[in-house]
Structure formats: structure tokens, C-alpha cells
Amino acid sequence: MLSALQMFITIAVIALATFATRALPFLFFGSREPPEMLAVIEKNLPPMILLLLVIYCLKDVQWLTAPYGIPEFVTTGVVAGLHFWKRNAMLSIFIGTALYMVLVQFNVFSFL
């Protein structure tokens, strides 16, 4: 079991590291324009992260046994449709998560 001092030191180090990662870009690029490579990364990073999340979510789907990935495809379609329609990531993620939980918990596709 960790002592109170060890927990305090751990929390302090994590807080300091988090603050440093937030403050360093302002220190480095506060008075000048960031490099072009950083602008490219900034533009392309969110779609790359979303692609990795989709791949991670679909990696363990059993494609050859019932329900053949249908809940995953339905919820992926709902999330994409909501996101393109409302342009609200939180709304699409929460509704997609809730829909997936309902489809899996209540075994909606058990007839397959």
C-alpha cells in the first residue's frame, strides 16, 4: 500500500507533467509561427486518431459467428450519420455508445 507521501508525490509529478505538456508549446511558439510540419500534424491528427479508434473498436468482432458484427456496423453507421448531420462529436459518441449497449445487452440480433 502506498503511503500518503508517495501518493502526494505521484499526483504532484503527474500534475507537473500535464502542465508542462500544455505550457511548452506556448513557450516555444508564443512569439513566432509554428513550423509547417506542425501545422500538417495539427490538421491531420484528429482523423488519424478517429481511424485508430474505429480499427480498435472493430478488431475483436467475430465476423463468422452470430450476430456477424451487425451491432458494430449499426452503431458505426449511427455515429457517422449523427456526426455528419449534427457535427457534434459528443452527441454522436454518447448516442452511439448507448445504442451499442442496448443492442448487445438486450441481444437484439439473437435471431441470427
Side-chain angles (χ1 to χ4, degrees):
M1 183 81 178
L2 293 176
S3 70
L5 179 63
Q6 288 173 320
M7 287 190 282
F8 177 76
I9 291 172
T10 302
I11 292 170
V13 168
I14 291 170
L16 185 63
T18 302
F19 178 75
T21 59
R22 302 301 191 265
L24 285 176
F26 293 103
L27 293 174
F28 287 133
F29 305 116
S31 61
R32 61 185 170 97
E33 193 69 26
E36 183 64 31
M37 182 177 157
L38 193 58
V40 169
I41 292 172
E42 178 184 8
K43 177 185 171 203
N44 295 321
L45 193 60
M48 289 188 291
I49 290 173
L50 287 175
L51 179 64
L52 285 174
L53 286 173
V54 169
I55 292 169
Y56 178 76
C57 288
L58 297 177
K59 73 178 176 64
D60 291 327
V61 175
Q62 299 296 320
W63 302 106
L64 300 176
T65 59
Y68 308 105
I70 295 173
E72 289 81 2
F73 275 121
V74 168
T75 52
T76 302
V78 167
V79 168
L82 272 172
H83 186 70
F84 286 128
W85 177 38
K86 293 289 189 179
R87 297 281 181 199
N88 187 335
M90 295 306 288
L91 176 71
S92 60
I93 290 170
F94 285 140
I95 289 180
T97 302
L99 177 64
Y100 180 75
M101 290 168 50
V102 166
L103 292 176
V104 171
Q105 286 297 323
F106 293 115
N107 212 0
V108 173
F109 297 104
S110 62
F111 60 89
L112 297 175

